[in-house]
Amino acid sequence: MPTNRLRTLAAAALAPLLAVLAGCSTGTTSPAEAAGQPRSGGTLTWAVETEPITLNPHQYAQAKARLLVWNTFESLLTYDKQGAVVPWLATGWQAAPDGLSYTLTLRDGVTFSDGVPFDAAAVKANVDKLREPGYAPAVAAVQLRNLKTVEAVDPRTVRLVLTAPDVLILDFLASPQGAQISPKSLREAKNLKAGGVDLAGTGPFVLDRYIPGQELHYRRNASYDWAPPTATHTGPAYLDGITYRFLKESAVRVGALTSGQVQLVEGVPATDQPLVTGARTLRLSRELNSGSAYSYYFNTSRAPFDDLRVRQAFREAVDVDTVLTSVYRDTATRAWSVISPSSPLYDKSLEGGYSGDTGKANTLLDQAGWATRDADGFRVKDGRRLTVRLVQSAPFVRDRRDVLAQAVQAAVKQSAGIDLKVSLVDQGSATQAFERNEYEVFDNSRADTDAGAALNLLLHSKGGINRTRINDPHIDQLLEAGQATADPTRRAGIYADLQQRVVAEQALVLPLYAPADQIAAGIGVGGVRFEPTAGVPASAYDLWIGK
């Protein structure tokens, strides 16, 4: 692989530190012994918590959809277990000394499942499509903000020319949004944005059945032979096929597993984990996600969160440790910053800086003019109750976040007289509320492998999901500096300053917990693993069925 100092520094800067909670099994037979050696053949059924909004990787927005995306689609680069960027559909890359271009060499002999060859023209077609107005505006505005042109130098070489140095371009090339779709699909798909069976990729499986609300089915791509270096084998997938069933309720998913209706499930909250760990024929594996922590973001463009004191008071009104224990028992990892503690960019000095001081919360609200209460105990000012609205989009609700919202709702009422209204709505209604600015709290977490990519979307004044509506030149400057800086030490310092600004000084967020994924599976299923660095369930490529 071509190397130079800038590329090495960029890879190091992008390397999140994977925090792994060891998998567990209460049986006497180890998973390896039960599954035996990898072998080909057979089919599996996997129950998943969330039905994807879209099956087009360019439109990817749900961490829970990653395991499905990588079955069919692949990117030019990926991450290894150490967090280093490594080739996938590319064989290597060269960064210009000034950081203003990246030249990638591509694998030979790769084809999309519709027979179209993968080459530089295909890569250019994908990047050009992503920059097309109205197709993927968030990607164009954030991940590709500094992209000037994409050039097909020859069939096996593509060059990305930038307007400014941008170390996050490599993260984009390793992300679902940077995955490659057949140019034929880009031109001819009936509903390109929705994706589905019309979209062809280069991956180890082909989606051949989608029943909305029920399931997805993938069949093995028999000609597949270009696995990434992070995989445990080469050649076609072991399984003949795999079905993913959409089972939103955890108790239903786990019940399907214990009854043998499915062989794997993801998303196993603390309340249901004893059913898995107590069974000799099952095992449970867990891992923290990378990217941003699950947080409540305060809308600063309207009352009452246009007042710093009210934002601070809301945070102090919530004893986060108590709330997390009530909802997740002892399985949730407390978050203190907008960045997940599994990231090397995480600022540990923020720990213990706020939360749970009821006296401080009430003093701050008194100072902000919310000094009286109505008959129901809620604070009022000028005849109006201190009401804030949390709008949750149903397709993005995971990990019992609706239950967590109810716990926070009770906490802020009891501690400080704040009326938190919680609405769980469909995606269309949520989008409408955000566009109309009819909310005060926005909840979000992202499993981006590099936290910088997540924060650009969430906190930059031009970010695609900047629901705080903050327009702070200092925050923008820090985000842009972090994106342009390759040196890992300098970069960590920039993001530490950013976290201090966002969390400690401006109180734009209430961080709650670091998202994690859980996989429960029968001990006869081999190859269960998580995606390196991201910490989310990997695709089905390495799965096999033991004898």
Side-chain angles (χ1 to χ4, degrees), residues 82-96:
Q82 289 70 45
V85 181
V86 295
W88 191 350
L89 292 180
T91 59
W93 68 93
Q94 179 76 40

Side-chain angles (χ1 to χ4, degrees), residues 371-455:
T372 59
R373 300 189 184 230
D374 62 18
D376 296 319
F378 293 111
R379 289 179 175 267
V380 294
K381 181 171 70 171
D382 300 329
R384 299 183 63 180
R385 178 179 286 185
L386 180 52
T387 299
V388 294
R389 296 164 293 178
L390 167 62
V391 179
Q392 294 186 304
S393 179
F396 292 93
V397 173
R398 53 175 283 196
D399 304 342
R400 306 183 78 217
R401 290 176 179 177
D402 50 344
V403 179
L404 176 59
Q406 295 171 19
V408 173
Q409 180 185 54
V412 297
K413 176 184 178 181
Q414 180 177 355
S415 298
I418 299 172
D419 182 17
L420 174 62
K421 300 290 189 183
V422 181
S423 300
L424 181 61
V425 300
D426 60 82
Q427 185 191 11
S429 298
T431 300
Q432 187 177 74
F434 299 142
E435 290 176 347
R436 293 180 177 179
N437 201 19
E438 295 174 345
Y439 68 98
E440 285 73 40
V441 185
F442 168 68
D443 65 328
N444 184 269
S445 67
R446 290 186 60 85
D448 299 88
T449 44
D450 188 288
L455 300 189

Side-chain angles (χ1 to χ4, degrees), residues 28-100:
T28 57
T29 303
S30 73
E33 291 172 342
Q37 293 298 311
R39 68 189 189 96
S40 297
T43 62
L44 288 174
T45 302
W46 186 327
V48 295
E49 180 177 9
T50 305
E51 181 172 2
I53 297 170
T54 171
L55 293 163
N56 178 333
H58 294 167
Q59 308 292 323
Y60 161 81
Q62 298 162 289
K64 289 284 189 176
R66 285 178 75 108
L67 77 165
L68 305 174
V69 167
W70 296 131
N71 278 340
T72 304
F73 303 99
E74 301 176 303
S75 57
L76 300 179
L77 306 174
T78 189
Y79 286 90
D80 65 15
K81 292 181 179 179
Q82 289 70 45
V85 181
V86 295
W88 191 350
L89 292 180
T91 59
W93 68 93
Q94 179 76 40
D98 60 5
L100 292 178

